[in-house]
Amino acid sequence: MATGIRDKVAILGMGCSKFGERWESNAEDLMVEAYTEALADAGIETKQIEAAWLSTAFEDIHVGKSGVPLAMALRLPYIPVTRVENFCASGSEALRGATYAVASGACDIALALGVEKLKDTGYGGLPQRSRGALNSMYWANVSAPGNFAQIASAYRAKHGVGKEDLKRAMAHISVKSHDNASLNPKAHLRNKVTEDQVLNAPMVSEPLGLFDCCGVSDGAACAIVTTPEIARSLGKKDLISIKAMQLSVSNGTEAQHNSWDGSYFMTARIAAGRAYAEAGVKRPRDEISLVEAHDCFSITELVTMEDLQLSSEGGAVRDVMDGFYDRDGKLPCQIDGGLKCFGHPIGASGLRMTYELYLQLLGRAGARQRAKNPVRGLVHNLGGLPNQNVCSITILGQHGA
Amino acid sequence: MGGISAIGAYIPRLRLSRKLMTDANAWFNPALKAFGRGERAIANWDEDVVTMAVEAARGVLGKTSGVGLGAIYLASTTAPFAARQNAGIVAEALHAAGALRTMDVGASQRAGTTALLAAFDTAMARKQRVLVLAAEKRHSPAGSVQEMTSGDAATAVMVEEGDGIARLVAQRSTSVDFVDHYRAQGREFDYGWEERWIREEGYLKLVPPVIAAVLADAGLAADAIHHFCMPCTLSRVPQAVAKKAGIADDRVRGNLDGVCGDTGAAHALLMLAQVLETAKPGERILVIGFGQGVDALLFEVTAGIDKARPDTVASSLAARKELAGYSRFLAFNDLVKLERGLRAEADKQTPLTTLYRNRDMVLGLVGGRCERCGTIQFPKAAICVNAACGASGSQVDQPFADFHGRIQTWSADQLTYCPDPPAHYGMVQFEEGGRMTVDFTDVDVGAVDVGMHMRMVFRIKEVDPQRGFVRYFWKAAPVTAA
């Protein structure tokens, strides 16, 4: 019987580039920026890294395919380097590769680095890309906001939520994320916005307005992982270890079988259930101190709070409006600004969320530090469409907690 | 000689007010004001000759699909492909391909009536049902008279050995290289000659002798004709031809000018379809096709009409929606250089191998039904999607085209490139089982919601601007109260 990943792997060091419109930087520059911080934090040298994982999703507009771009940029010493892509959950996949490598005993120290350079397309929003030869012949003419907007229509119908009530809760989410990012020097969008601004912004895909959509950013984030024993031997005292890493991937049920009602993420519920079991979390709403959710769109964050069992089903609107997920609420969500305002360089995002929790757990988050150091944090990293997607849940916390 | 067993039309939902057209263009050509009454039918951006022909054919075929059909003939001068048989695409969409004779007929406004004549020959010789389709998506320069007078539509006629609802009594054809207009290979628009000459030397000299001949063949006098159907956009010319042929003025049927416009090769059959919606048993209908010669077809309405009365001309004329603005018509028809944005530049090459392998699915909207658990699913797959089943190799073909469903999720998307934004799409759950996330068409902004009743229609998914290939798939459209 598998025993899971809990407390088998510790984070030795992390780094994250400034996110935003990095007109001056190539993807390689962003990789080095995140790596340099992580390496210093880990207190090791490049030659001590034994294996590496690189995550990118739109590689054709920046570094191209394979693990070679990472090895070249960081001058890695001819070690195994694997490139991974799993939609917007790619960053968590890189971390999973490195974590499992250490947990298996295959290597002592492993690296995960995610990068994306999205602002080289000439237009706003995510780059156009092929959906696959046959998919392109029958899929609807979807965009990312259009995909996720679908959830709002089904959620409203199922829970009888009025259009204006849902729109206001979504606005609260975006206002909160802008507030949080204003305290984060590495965030892409640091301006505060008002609820009126959010509600009156141009429509992107009904009911998602401009401020319901996350930033499309350039950036990189990086983690170096090892065993708790090695971390201690390298002088680390307050260890942050990984409690759970779960991934759930749609098999066609949502898209093709009439058992799913379209109002929630099946994968998130399944991955969260498995992650809580792996981490030994019994009452998520009480035991999780902080959550970094994949808030690609405001409606995604709202529905996800229910899928993660943090709000009751149909109860997220009330919790959001009550400030439960605000920075000074009981369970802050996106204390760093989230995808919405820290930004969303696809391949880096899962690692960026992990970076924030790592800082918060260590009490190193500066002006946005949670007053009482959190014990356990959850990263929710989602990719694809509501009806066929990839959901990754990572739980990390104080070692032994 | 055989008869028509069913007839129908598909006139697309959109109408363009001729006032909008003269408001836009009369500054340059004040003569356009003479044509400024009523409205014309226009194809939506995702409709063309093939998709309109499919829709007309579905109305005639009903739920039987193309089973038992011997041939499909498609007449048009504006079919999307110059090489790739257009009738063959229609056959795939109707799920009728296979042991079937298909043929494109074109190059003349007479193509519709000529295809119909050929269908009678085939039906009698081979003792098979033949489906004749005639469709046009007229393409004319902005500000032209043709743009004012044209319309877009499709007609479908099922021809069989028996008498049907209207039996063919007599027919005649002549071939004369009278060039009232022409369009050379690779040219975008028609090039026409003076209208007075077309009237005097064309219609008035070429048509009456053929009418006389067909009446002689039938042993009838001109006053035996109850309905005279001759498409012509020139004022009063059908009446002048009728007079010369001895047919009374009140027997000349209207040409749908004010409500549809002239639909080219489809128009003679469209007028016939409209007449058959009200004609009485025993009445005789003379149909003329004109273009580099003349076709004349004389029908007699049978008693069968009362049991199978066609109605789709009236219903599709009633299901109209006025297009808001002439400029949108120009954009739909590529008559203006529109800034379409960088997102429109994505490569849309179609891998023909992939399309061929999946043609049942993509063109025919055929999914799967698990013979083990009964789950209906799209696409058809090797392993059943029902988690409680999971059977392998258990699925048989399940056509989805005639399914009705309800909207489960939706959005109106302003970001994605769409020729008519916002792009509406969402998940439709079918009453019969199964679901798909699919584009919506013929919907109005603000009118879409969860629970809306939808049906499936064959439409253009996208056009590859680099190579000209047209990619078709099915979309969900609102079920309109008929």
Side-chain angles (χ1 to χ4, degrees):
Chain A
M1 185 66 186
T3 53
I5 201 77
R6 184 178 179 183
D7 283 342
K8 290 177 180 169
V9 177
I11 297 176
L12 190 59
M14 288 202 76
C16 184
S17 77
K18 167 96 175 76
F19 280 15
E21 292 169 331
R22 299 290 304 267
W23 308 119
E24 77 294 350
S25 301
N26 288 324
E28 287 78 1
D29 301 322
L30 300 172
M31 287 193 236
V32 170
E33 187 176 324
Y35 176 65
T36 304
E37 181 187 348
L39 197 66
D41 183 32
I44 60 168
E45 295 174 62
T46 295
K47 66 182 182 196
Q48 291 172 267
I49 296 167
E50 294 165 85
W53 276 260
L54 168 66
S55 54
T56 58
F58 288 88
E59 79 291 343
D60 55 334
I61 60 165
H62 50 97
V63 297
K65 295 194 187 301
S66 90
V68 170
L70 184 68
M72 301 270 282
L74 308 188
R75 303 296 187 201
L76 295 174
Y78 286 82
I79 58 170
V81 183
T82 305
R83 177 183 163 258
V84 294
E85 183 277 322
N86 220 351
F87 286 154
C88 298
S90 299
S92 294
E93 284 289 42
L95 182 61
R96 202 161 67 98
T99 300
Y100 280 13
V102 167
S104 74
C107 62
D108 284 339
I109 299 178
L111 173 88
L113 190 145
V115 66
E116 215 72 61
K117 178 74 197 159
L118 295 175
K119 296 304 298 178
D120 281 339
T121 57
Y123 52 85
L126 287 177
Q128 296 283 118
R129 59 175 161 173
S130 169
R131 299 165 179 139
L134 182 57
N135 290 342
S136 296
M137 294 182 192
Y138 79 98
W139 278 23
N141 180 14
V142 296
S143 71
N147 282 329
F148 283 87
Q150 306 283 320
I151 285 274
S153 63
Y155 185 90
R156 276 188 51 219
K158 182 179 186 182
H159 297 294
V161 181
K163 194 174 178 176
E164 305 308 319
D165 291 339
L166 186 60
K167 188 81 178 153
R168 200 168 310 111
M170 284 156 50
H172 186 102
I173 285 170
S174 300
V175 170
K176 170 264 298 169
S177 292
H178 275 265
D179 265 355
N180 293 351
S182 70
L183 299 174
N184 183 353
K186 287 186 176 176
H188 180 175
L189 304 167
R190 301 193 62 200
N191 58 318
K192 293 190 178 199
V193 298
T194 65
E195 192 180 287
D196 277 352
Q197 267 178 287
V198 176
L199 292 174
N200 296 321
M203 193 61 78
V204 175
S205 196
E206 171 75 32
L208 304 177
L210 184 63
F211 287 99
D212 292 303
C213 307
C214 73
V216 170
S217 323
D218 304 328
C222 175
I224 298 169
V225 293
T226 187
T227 64
E229 296 72 33
I230 293 168
R232 285 214 178 81
S233 76
L234 290 168
K236 298 287 176 188
K237 294 204 167 52
D238 301 322
L239 292 193
I240 305 305
S241 60
I242 293 167
K243 310 294 183 184
M245 290 203 90
Q246 289 294 335
L247 189 78
S248 174
V249 178
S250 295
N251 72 356
T253 298
E254 303 100 305
Q256 298 160 18
H257 191 257
N258 289 351
S259 52
W260 178 66
D261 65 20
S263 73
Y264 63 96
F265 294 89
M266 248 179 89
T267 52
R269 291 187 179 185
I270 292 165
R274 285 207 296 253
Y276 291 138
E278 187 175 29
V281 171
K282 304 277 190 309
R283 299 179 317 282
R285 191 171 163 105
D286 302 321
E287 294 178 55
I288 300 293
S289 335
L290 277 174
V291 57
E292 285 288 325
H294 194 89
D295 57 329
C296 49
F297 302 95
S298 55
I299 188 64
T300 320
E301 177 173 329
L302 185 138
V303 169
T304 297
M305 296 304 102
E306 298 178 11
D307 294 338
L308 299 178
Q309 304 168 35
L310 303 175
S311 288
S312 61
E313 198 176 331
V317 170
R318 191 182 58 245
D319 280 343
V320 164
M321 295 310 289
D322 286 351
F324 186 80
Y325 298 111
D326 291 355
R327 190 170 69 246
D328 56 358
K330 182 147 182 308
L331 175 45
C333 182
Q334 339 292 43
I335 200 164
D336 59 349
L339 301 175
K340 172 73 191 79
C341 295
F342 201 139
H344 187 22
I346 310 293
S349 280
L351 285 158
R352 183 276 301 162
M353 300 179 196
T354 308
Y355 172 77
E356 177 65 14
L357 292 185
Y358 170 77
L359 294 183
Q360 291 280 351
L361 288 162
L362 288 172
R364 284 165 41 185
R368 65 187 185 280
Q369 177 65 42
R370 181 77 167 158
K372 183 168 165 286
N373 282 5
V375 176
R376 221 176 268 106
L378 182 146
V379 168
H380 161 266
N381 194 194
L382 180 79
L385 303 67
N387 69 16
Q388 47 197 91
N389 61 77
V390 171
C391 182
S392 164
I393 306 277
T394 304
I395 298 174
L396 54 161
Q398 312 288 351
H399 187 64
Chain B
M1 294 187 92
I4 292 169
S5 60
I7 189 166
Y10 172 72
I11 299 170
R13 171 177 178 255
L14 292 177
R15 304 287 186 275
L16 182 60
S17 151
R18 292 212 178 85
K19 182 173 184 307
L20 288 180
M21 303 169 81
T22 48
D23 285 352
N25 296 321
W27 65 272
F28 183 78
N29 182 6
L32 292 177
K33 287 178 185 165
F35 303 91
R37 288 177 299 278
E39 60 190 16
R40 57 161 293 189
I42 58 170
N44 204 343
W45 73 267
D46 60 355
E47 296 185 290
D48 66 8
V49 161
V50 166
T51 69
M52 291 190 290
V54 168
E55 196 58 23
R58 293 174 77 198
V60 159
L61 289 167
K63 298 233 174 204
T64 63
S65 196
V67 177
L69 203 59
I72 295 177
Y73 298 160
L74 173 61
S76 182
T77 66
T78 51
F81 286 94
R84 178 194 183 185
Q85 195 189 51
N86 298 284
I89 309 171
V90 173
E92 292 286 354
L94 295 174
H95 202 38
L100 183 77
R101 178 182 287 184
T102 48
M103 178 168 72
D104 283 356
V105 184
S108 165
Q109 298 297 95
R110 194 157 56 95
T113 48
T114 305
L116 185 56
L117 285 168
F120 277 103
D121 295 344
T122 307
M124 297 309 290
R126 294 166 62 96
K127 306 190 187 312
Q128 284 175 328
R129 293 196 301 154
V130 179
L131 180 61
V132 178
L133 305 171
E136 296 275 25
K137 183 183 181 185
R138 312 296 300 273
H139 191 65
S140 330
S144 64
V145 170
Q146 298 97 298
E147 183 184 52
M148 301 289 293
T149 58
S150 296
D152 302 333
T155 316
V157 187
M158 186 68 84
V159 175
E160 299 190 15
E161 230 192 322
D163 285 350
I165 59 172
R167 71 180 182 92
L168 182 64
V169 176
Q171 52 83 20
R172 278 274 180 159
S173 297
T174 57
S175 175
V176 183
D177 187 31
F178 179 81
V179 189
D180 55 333
H181 73 273
Y182 68 90
R183 186 169 77 245
Q185 188 76 261
R187 294 298 179 122
E188 190 174 4
F189 301 117
D190 293 350
Y191 188 83
W193 215 247
E194 188 184 356
E195 290 176 3
R196 295 177 58 81
W197 173 71
I198 296 168
R199 183 181 64 204
E200 299 299 327
E201 289 295 302
Y203 284 100
L204 283 169
K205 284 207 176 143
L206 298 178
V207 180
V210 183
I211 295 177
V214 83
L215 286 173
D217 288 351
L220 294 169
D223 63 2
I225 303 302
H226 299 85
H227 306 280
F228 179 61
C229 301
M230 188 185 81
C232 182
T233 58
L234 305 180
S235 179
R236 300 287 304 162
V237 168
Q239 289 80 359
V241 169
K243 186 176 179 187
K244 204 165 174 185
I247 299 168
D249 207 53
D250 63 356
R251 304 287 167 95
V252 179
R253 292 296 149 245
N255 62 2
L256 294 96
D257 169 58
V259 290
C260 174
D262 185 275
T263 62
H267 210 61
L269 307 192
L270 181 63
M271 290 174 70
L272 172 63
Q274 190 185 36
V275 166
L276 284 171
E277 293 187 359
T278 54
K280 297 183 185 66
E283 290 183 343
R284 290 179 205 90
I285 307 166
L286 180 61
V287 180
I288 301 294
F290 180 84
Q292 289 78 58
V294 179
D295 291 328
L297 297 88
L298 178 58
F299 294 97
E300 186 176 295
V301 182
T302 72
I305 192 82
D306 290 326
K307 292 195 287 287
R309 180 69 73 179
D311 62 3
T312 46
V313 176
S315 63
S316 56
L317 282 175
R320 58 180 284 285
K321 162 84 180 178
E322 201 169 311
L323 189 74
Y326 173 69
S327 63
R328 200 178 295 208
F329 167 78
L330 295 181
F332 284 5
N333 289 281
D334 238 344
L335 292 166
V336 64
K337 290 196 189 303
L338 193 71
E339 171 59 62
R340 293 181 189 274
L342 269 60
R343 285 183 181 277
E345 294 173 12
D347 194 339
K348 295 181 172 67
Q349 187 196 46
T350 295
L352 299 176
T353 40
T354 313
L355 175 60
Y356 179 69
R357 199 161 54 234
N358 297 283
R359 65 191 185 283
D360 277 357
M361 169 193 166
V362 175
L363 298 176
L365 200 68
V366 175
R369 181 173 52 80
C370 177
E371 288 198 298
R372 170 99 60 95
C373 72
T375 298
I376 288 172
Q377 49 208 284
F378 190 91
K380 184 178 167 183
I383 302 172
C384 179
V385 72
N386 177 11
C389 172
S392 196
S394 63
Q395 295 183 37
V396 293
D397 282 356
Q398 172 63 60
F400 273 63
D402 292 328
F403 282 7
H404 281 205
R406 301 269 169 193
I407 293 178
Q408 181 83 15
T409 71
W410 70 279
S411 184
D413 190 338
Q414 292 280 3
L415 181 68
T416 195
Y417 169 69
C418 175
D420 188 21
H424 286 83
Y425 52 84
M427 182 178 284
V428 173
Q429 190 153 308
F430 298 106
E431 289 157 8
E432 296 84 351
R435 56 167 50 174
M436 64 179 72
T437 299
V438 69
D439 291 317
F440 300 162
T441 190
D442 287 353
V443 292
D444 298 324
V445 175
V448 176
D449 211 349
V450 169
M452 196 165 167
H453 191 192
M454 307 295 271
R455 63 186 287 266
M456 302 306 290
V457 293
F458 187 71
R459 293 294 173 103
I460 294 170
K461 176 133 185 64
E462 50 194 7
V463 177
D464 177 351
Q466 199 178 333
R467 306 168 189 88
F469 193 77
V470 184
R471 190 180 271 186
Y472 297 98
F473 188 58
W474 294 73
K475 299 182 183 180
V479 174
T480 50

